[in-house]
Amino acid sequence: MTGPAPRPTSARRLPAVLLATALVACSAGDRATGTVEVRIPPGAGFAAVTDSLHARGLVDRPGLFTLYARMRGVDRQVQAGRYRLPAGASWREILEALTRGAVVPERLVVPEGWTLRQMAPRIAHISQVEPARVEALLLSDSLTTLLSVPGPGLEGYLLPDTYLLAEGTPPEAVAAVMVGAYHAFWTPERQARLDSLGMDRRELTTLASIVQAEAGNAQEMPLIAAVYHNRLREGWLLQADPTVLYALGGPRERLLFSAIDSVADSPYNTYRRPGLPPGPIGAPGRAALEAALNPADVPHMYMVAGPDGGHVFSTTLAEHNRAVAEYRRRTFGPDSGG
């Protein structure tokens, strides 16, 4: 007596390992050439991820790809960002890239001397966040203690540089990277030099930010720093135009005495207030920080704009008055007065 004929094995009864092998085989295909760019927005579900991959020709069987990802337990591990994947990548290679976060880095370029308000749109572009929200975050006090900066806020402590960051990096993380670069500047040797000047990091960075704003070129930064160090040592007013412009809210074609008087009560008005302002007026670069740490050994007490975009430096008031008269003649004509 014979038993019943064996029933055909269905795909549903294949062992999981055999099914996985079949899915990998499906994902192999012919290797194409070139690369394909895919953007995964923050918070995207795996269905949306699969749709993007399918639309760009990276996955030809979306349902099987989803099943494969679930079997591997990685369908909830995809990281947001911009990816550049080989056109003929296998499913395993695609998922490894997406779960490892192998994104194409974005360039964040921050020039020396920029203020937080100027930086906010570029950070917002990297973070994919509204610029107004980024600006509000940078100008608030919420990150000052967290990132261990001297204050009074973040102004001046996001070191200008070119950074490579993943698209979608939160603005808090971007700020942390930039502040980290500022902290890294302070090697033991530089800290020792700072201590010898009798200054703290807030004071030095504030001075460096003024030097940065004044300088027409990096070569004259040590001379500009010397003028301000000498004035501080002698108890003179700094009379630094950039601090007044900061109080006024930005640059102007000409800084008139009426404008200086309009912000007479501002702690950033160094024509009226002695010493350094409360904090930096922008982000100094490394060259300005170095100049503030190591000013030129010169007795200069004055400076005025020179003919080459730099400055004319003077030690005595008589020398300075002659330089000012020449500047006015050059700028406004021979009848401008002395």
Side-chain angles (χ1 to χ4, degrees):
M1 184 175 180
T2 59
R7 299 174 61 186
T9 302
S10 68
R12 288 176 296 181
R13 297 178 61 187
L14 279 173
V17 66
L18 294 180
L19 181 56
T21 302
L23 292 175
V24 172
C26 287
S27 73
D30 295 329
R31 302 293 292 190
T33 59
T35 59
V36 179
E37 189 168 293
V38 179
R39 289 179 180 270
I40 307 299
F46 196 76
V49 172
T50 302
D51 287 344
S52 295
L53 296 171
H54 178 59
R56 286 156 180 77
L58 289 164
V59 170
D60 57 354
R61 298 175 177 85
L64 287 177
F65 177 76
T66 300
L67 179 58
Y68 175 62
R70 288 175 180 170
M71 291 182 64
R72 294 193 62 188
V74 297
D75 56 313
R76 297 179 183 274
Q77 298 177 19
V78 173
Q79 300 186 41
R82 182 166 63 98
Y83 294 84
R84 193 169 291 138
L85 302 169
S90 69
W91 292 358
R92 177 182 58 80
E93 292 169 335
I94 292 171
L95 288 172
E96 285 183 354
L98 298 182
T99 56
R100 192 174 71 249
V103 298
V104 178
E106 300 284 341
R107 286 167 59 88
L108 171 63
V109 180
V110 178
E112 290 86 352
W114 270 25
T115 65
L116 294 175
R117 284 191 169 89
Q118 290 173 301
M119 296 179 193
R122 292 197 178 182
I123 295 176
H125 176 74
I126 291 289
S127 301
Q128 298 292 288
V129 175
E130 286 295 322
R133 178 183 159 194
V134 175
E135 181 177 317
L137 173 69
L138 296 179
L139 294 175
S140 71
D141 294 329
S142 60
L143 296 179
T144 305
T145 302
L146 180 65
L147 299 180
S148 300
V149 298
L154 286 183
E155 189 79 272
Y157 304 109
L158 274 62
L159 190 73
D161 207 336
T162 297
Y163 298 90
L164 295 178
L165 299 164
E167 184 183 76
T169 300
E172 298 89 344
V174 176
V177 169
M178 298 178 69
V179 170
Y182 168 82
H183 287 315
F185 172 85
W186 291 103
T187 62
E189 294 76 16
R190 289 181 177 129
Q191 184 61 50
R193 173 58 182 165
L194 177 65
D195 295 339
S196 73
L197 293 174
M199 303 177 77
D200 59 28
R201 292 187 184 182
R202 179 189 62 80
E203 293 168 329
L204 193 285
T205 306
T206 299
L207 178 56
S209 73
I210 301 172
V211 171
Q212 182 74 65
E214 282 278 15
N217 55 72
Q219 288 70 34
E220 70 172 6
M221 285 183 177
L223 293 171
I224 294 174
V227 169
Y228 289 130
H229 272 289
N230 292 342
R231 282 179 165 260
L232 288 170
R233 185 183 64 249
E234 297 299 323
W236 291 19
L237 292 171
L238 290 184
Q239 295 184 327
D241 290 358
T243 66
V244 178
L245 293 172
Y246 185 78
L248 289 167
R252 298 191 175 195
E253 186 175 351
R254 292 181 63 185
L255 181 59
L256 304 175
F257 284 113
S258 59
I260 296 174
D261 290 338
S262 71
V263 288
D265 294 333
S266 171
Y268 288 89
N269 189 334
T270 56
Y271 276 83
R272 300 288 184 265
R273 300 294 185 93
L276 289 163
I281 59 172
R286 291 179 178 85
L289 288 165
E290 287 283 8
L293 275 173
N294 301 283
D297 185 14
V298 293
H300 302 329
M301 302 294 289
Y302 306 91
M303 61 184 173
V304 67
D308 58 355
H311 289 79
V312 175
F313 298 91
S314 304
T315 301
T316 68
L317 180 58
E319 292 172 345
H320 177 62
N321 286 339
R322 288 194 292 272
V324 170
E326 175 60 20
Y327 166 76
R328 290 175 176 167
R329 184 193 67 78
R330 244 183 11 254
T331 305
F332 308 113
D335 298 326
S336 60

